[in-house]
Amino acid sequence: MAEDRNALLDFLTRHYTLDGLKTLCFNLFIDYDNLSGDTKSARGRELILHLERAGRLVDLEAVVGREQPRAFEREFRRPPPIPPIPTRPNRDPRQVFISHAQEDDAFAHRLADDLCAHGWRVWIAPDSIAPGETWVDAINRGLEASATYVLVLTPAASSSPWVNTETNVAISLEHQRIMRFIPLDVAPSRPPPLWTAYQNVPFRGDYGRGLEHLLARLDGRPPRARGANGHNDKAAELHLFADRRLHDRSRIELVRVAAGSFLYGARDADSRHELPQRTLRLGDYWIGRAPVTNAQFARFVEATGHRTTAETTGFGRVWSGGRWNDVERAYWRRPEGPRSSIDERMHHPVVCVSWHDAQAFCEWAGLRLPSEAEWEKAARGADGRPYPWGDAPPNGRLANHGQRLGGTSAVGQFSPAGDSPYGLADAAGNVWEWTVGEASGGSARLARGGGWPSDERNLRVTWRAEVEAGVAFNTVGFRAVAIRG
């Protein structure tokens, strides 16, 4: 074996430059930057030892033999090994492609094992790379054969050139409706903005819950809600949840609210902020599962060059220190002022957008703002419950409210416990949401749902807040409705 190592090292140092070694590592799914040494010989030695420990020296021989066939046969006095390369099968609706950085290998392989145990087939590197197959060929084969792409989203994944390449291809295939793209929120990271336009599956701190969510997404069904003991509670399942679909232009995930009657308003209505309860009937409609995020709003701004109300007026209204402050140069990208940023909050609801900004987004996307009745039915279901999840008052497991977090949270962070019967996330707390409802007199519009500073009464699905339409607040966002079913 030592002779093989020495012969391969001699071959690499005589026939490859440092850039050539870097390309060779790329084709072998090896991180070149993790190989120690500054010289070609040192890097080559580290590469050989790494492959030897993994039992993959034959892969190195196959790749260099393919790239330098005459030199290989002349120096090794035998033809290069030509291992059989698997054919590219048709796309398998039950196969999942797991993309992950090498640092997240343990998590990714645990996930692969669990998916296989539930009847899914998995493509995962390096296990699914055939001996002697280049990384590019293997990835192409995996992407062509898999119907779903699952991204293990961590800081290492965000900075990995392999993961970036794979993910951008997968998103392109998703746009063509060829492949589903599902990112997993495994650890706090700063992914490219395009990745954050998709509803992720929360895995932080609770692997079992994340796996339930992922299996539900793969099967096209809602996740089961958990009872007070933390176990699956069939009686608490979201029975009214029907379909979901991804809106093409905005990349908003829409949920269907089935036609039918529901209880609108409050039994114990506050005469100023709530309407008396009555029965209403609405037809079928589709509404955003979550409020519009910073990433989704950024797509709109990049496409149109839209300048928001706060940018035009030069200020946003910011809740800070228990009171409202008009903060100069606060707008949606810097919602608390010039020293703040949304860089770490791309999956949070967009705020500091006026009612007019929300309207402009909807017009660009081919969507519209919900009516009060549409918003309320989607947020509470048909049974007249005061909160999306039922009768229990809000707490830190169900909603972002009472200034507990000091600002917005990522959409879906309180799912599924805080979801409505139709699967709406963040319908209580996080941000107030614009509707088309007009206040009596003046230019105010009605917002629903309560925000991150709100108390539990404001989070009631029946509570109506009058908000000045031409002012941008760091507690107000919006969700959208499809114009046609």
Side-chain angles (χ1 to χ4, degrees):
M1 187 60 70
E3 292 78 7
D4 292 341
R5 290 201 304 262
N6 290 334
L8 280 169
L9 178 59
D10 183 60
F11 188 88
L12 292 178
T13 53
R14 289 199 294 116
H15 294 284
Y16 283 83
T17 63
L18 278 173
D19 283 341
L21 281 179
K22 186 178 293 187
T23 302
L24 185 62
C25 288
F26 183 83
N27 286 332
L28 288 164
F29 201 68
I30 302 296
D31 192 341
Y32 175 84
D33 292 331
N34 283 343
L35 300 178
S36 60
D38 297 324
T39 66
K40 187 166 51 173
S41 178
R43 295 269 182 160
R45 184 181 301 106
E46 286 293 310
L47 172 61
I48 290 168
L49 290 174
H50 179 92
L51 290 171
E52 185 180 42
R53 287 192 296 269
R56 296 183 59 205
L57 272 184
V58 66
D59 292 358
L60 178 60
E61 290 187 359
V63 173
V64 299
R66 186 186 308 170
E67 293 178 351
Q68 311 261 5
R70 293 182 180 176
F72 186 97
E73 191 162 357
R74 182 177 65 248
E75 297 187 24
F76 287 91
R77 300 182 182 279
R78 58 181 171 86
I82 307 177
I85 302 299
T87 58
R88 290 177 176 172
N90 295 328
R91 197 171 299 279
D92 182 350
R94 296 286 298 178
Q95 180 165 303
V96 175
F97 185 112
I98 298 180
S99 177
H100 69 288
Q102 289 181 329
E103 293 86 340
D104 306 314
D105 192 67
F107 175 93
H109 279 81
R110 177 186 179 187
L111 180 67
D113 291 343
D114 287 333
L115 291 179
C116 289
H118 284 82
W120 291 87
R121 287 173 286 279
V122 171
W123 194 102
I124 185 169
D127 306 37
S128 301
I129 300 177
E133 188 177 21
T134 67
W135 176 82
V136 173
D137 288 339
I139 295 300
N140 281 333
R141 179 171 56 82
L143 291 173
E144 287 181 349
S146 305
T148 303
Y149 180 94
V150 168
L151 169 63
V152 178
L153 187 51
T154 66
S158 297
S159 60
S160 166
W162 294 287
V163 174
N164 274 261
T165 300
E166 294 168 1
T167 301
N168 291 334
V169 172
I171 289 175
S172 175
L173 293 173
E174 190 274 338
H175 285 180
Q176 300 172 56
R177 300 181 182 273
I178 294 173
M179 172 179 273
R180 285 190 295 176
F181 173 58
I182 303 177
L184 311 183
D185 182 18
V186 176
S189 59
R190 295 181 61 181
L194 182 61
W195 299 7
T196 65
Y198 296 85
Q199 185 73 26
N200 62 27
V201 176
F203 264 85
R204 294 191 210 176
D206 192 339
Y207 177 88
R209 176 186 172 208
L211 181 62
E212 288 176 11
H213 271 245
L214 177 58
L215 290 169
R217 286 276 290 274
L218 290 171
D219 291 331
R221 59 175 172 82
R224 290 179 177 177
R226 293 194 176 191
N229 59 5
H231 299 298
N232 286 339
D233 182 358
K234 286 191 175 182
E237 284 192 38
L238 307 176
H239 292 294
L240 295 179
F241 180 88
D243 297 325
R244 294 186 182 184
R245 72 185 191 201
L246 196 65
H247 184 255
D248 282 337
R249 170 166 281 193
S250 65
R251 315 315 295 168
I252 289 173
E253 186 177 17
L254 299 170
V255 298
R256 176 175 169 265
V257 180
S261 299
F262 75 107
L263 291 174
Y264 178 66
R267 263 182 322 194
D268 55 341
D270 177 291
S271 59
R272 181 181 174 192
H273 295 287
E274 294 174 305
L275 297 172
Q277 192 169 89
R278 62 188 189 277
T279 299
L280 290 183
R281 179 178 176 81
L282 295 176
D284 243 31
Y285 61 98
W286 293 76
I287 187 169
R289 180 178 178 271
V292 172
T293 66
N294 285 311
Q296 291 161 345
F297 197 79
R299 287 166 58 90
F300 155 64
V301 171
E302 289 164 9
T304 64
H306 177 79
R307 279 177 57 81
T308 59
T309 298
E311 291 170 275
T312 302
T313 60
F315 77 95
R317 194 153 291 168
V318 176
W319 181 260
S320 177
R323 63 190 181 91
W324 289 109
N325 300 282
D326 288 347
V327 177
E328 291 185 3
R329 292 184 291 163
Y331 70 111
W332 72 276
R333 287 192 188 275
R334 302 189 179 279
E336 291 82 49
R339 294 185 179 180
S340 64
S341 171
I342 61 167
D343 287 351
E344 303 286 348
R345 293 181 269 177
M346 294 305 290
H347 204 53
H348 288 219
V350 64
V351 293
C352 273
V353 286
S354 70
W355 185 86
H356 305 293
D357 298 324
Q359 283 282 81
F361 174 95
C362 289
E363 289 173 8
W364 164 78
L367 300 167
R368 61 177 174 80
L369 290 175
S371 68
E372 287 193 87
E374 288 171 332
W375 189 95
E376 188 170 319
K377 182 179 180 181
R380 77 189 308 188
D383 59 9
R385 61 184 63 191
Y387 300 104
W389 53 84
D391 296 322
N395 59 41
R397 186 179 64 88
L398 298 169
N400 177 11
H401 73 294
Q403 303 190 77
R404 293 167 185 258
L405 302 180
T408 58
S409 54
V411 300
Q413 182 171 322
F414 297 89
S415 297
D419 288 355
S420 82
Y422 293 105
L424 253 67
D426 296 351
N430 213 0
V431 293
W432 289 95
E433 299 176 21
W434 292 113
T435 72
V436 295
E438 297 185 19
S440 55
S443 58
R445 296 281 175 164
L446 291 163
R448 295 294 199 104
W452 56 266
S454 300
D455 61 28
E456 64 180 58
R457 190 166 181 81
N458 290 162
L459 266 61
R460 285 163 49 134
V461 292
T462 50
W463 199 266
R464 310 160 77 225
E466 296 186 4
V467 184
E468 186 63 33
V471 178
F473 297 81
N474 75 326
T475 59
V476 181
F478 66 101
R479 77 178 74 213
V481 171
I483 292 176
R484 288 177 291 275

